[in-house]
Amino acid sequence: MGIPTPLNWPVLRQFREGDPLGRGRAVTSRATRETSNRTVTADRVAQSVCPYCAVGCGQRVFVKDEKVVQIEGDPDSPISRGRLCPKGSASEQLVNSPTRVTQVLYRRPGGTEWEVLDRDTAIDMVADRFLESRRNGWQDHDEHGRPLRRTMGVAALGGATLDNEENYLIKKLFTAAGAVQIENQARI
Ligand code: SF4
């Protein structure tokens, strides 16, 4: 408001600033006037999909200095048309939470503590186990000699946070590997 002056008397301000009912500019605090939306100062905006549930609402991710500063609904999305539920609206907190786990944690059989693994080691361990289970559960023929060429050793169960593209790739990978039990939470 600056230096106190009778001209800043609220009722005068209401009329001077075109806000006769005192519900807008005339009663806006200085702190509010000096606050700007995080979306205004962003360097760029990326389009994305909410990771929380199978609805797959469109999101606009606002980035400043290579850091996510805000996530809002994407009006271009034919699914959500700019809307997000409270969970989707809070996605920025998912990205920037100081308690977010950003390392691969492993608790070995019989272990009582989590160990930090580098990502390549963890991926190799998953791949080794996958291949071994596939091999151990492989069925080449049935009892009549008819070809099966499948494995009963691996199965896929996806969560609803997976999107269409991820499910497509998972289905392709597991079917190619010979798995027959391939499910998604949205179908259960
Ligand atoms: S915004 Fe809500 S309804 Fe939309 S995908 Fe995310 S969690 Fe689901």
Side-chain angles (χ1 to χ4, degrees):
M1 287 290 111
I3 301 162
T5 149
L7 292 176
N8 277 338
W9 190 39
V11 75
L12 286 184
R13 265 201 341 265
Q14 286 173 218
F15 286 102
R16 196 177 63 232
E17 297 181 5
D19 180 22
L21 297 178
R23 293 178 173 173
R25 269 189 67 75
V27 289
T28 306
S29 71
R30 182 201 222 162
T32 299
R33 281 174 203 248
E34 291 174 355
T35 300
S36 66
N37 197 323
R38 278 174 291 191
T39 58
V40 175
T41 53
D43 299 326
R44 59 191 172 89
V45 184
Q47 286 184 299
S48 187
V49 178
C50 175
Y52 278 125
C53 91
V55 175
C57 298
Q59 293 185 321
R60 302 180 79 198
V61 181
F62 295 83
V63 181
K64 183 171 176 56
D65 300 330
E66 295 308 303
K67 186 175 185 311
V68 173
V69 292
Q70 178 65 346
I71 297 179
E72 299 197 342
D74 184 358
D76 289 343
S77 168
I79 296 165
S80 49
R81 292 182 292 176
R83 298 167 181 86
L84 294 175
C85 79
K87 255 171 77 169
S89 302
S91 302
E92 181 272 335
Q93 295 167 23
L94 172 77
V95 177
N96 291 325
S97 168
T99 59
R100 180 179 175 181
V101 177
T102 56
Q103 293 172 304
V104 178
L105 297 179
Y106 174 64
R107 202 175 71 180
R108 61 183 64 247
T112 56
E113 302 289 336
W114 292 102
E115 296 170 36
V116 175
L117 290 184
D118 68 277
R119 198 184 57 164
D120 288 346
T121 302
I123 290 174
D124 285 347
M125 288 167 67
V126 171
D128 289 346
R129 286 158 170 74
F130 183 93
L131 292 175
E132 188 184 348
S133 296
R134 177 180 183 267
R135 199 163 37 240
N136 292 342
W138 187 258
Q139 296 176 338
D140 215 35
H141 295 91
D142 68 8
E143 64 273 24
H144 304 293
R146 290 176 294 206
L148 293 173
R149 297 192 195 107
R150 69 186 184 191
T151 181
M152 305 303 279
V154 291
L157 176 61
T161 52
L162 297 170
D163 57 38
N164 281 352
E165 291 74 17
E166 288 163 332
N167 277 310
Y168 172 77
L169 290 173
I170 289 169
K171 167 70 175 149
K172 204 170 175 178
L173 170 70
F174 277 77
T175 299
V180 289
Q181 299 98 344
I182 303 168
E183 272 298 351
N184 182 277
Q185 186 252 318
R187 256 171 50 95
I188 292 174

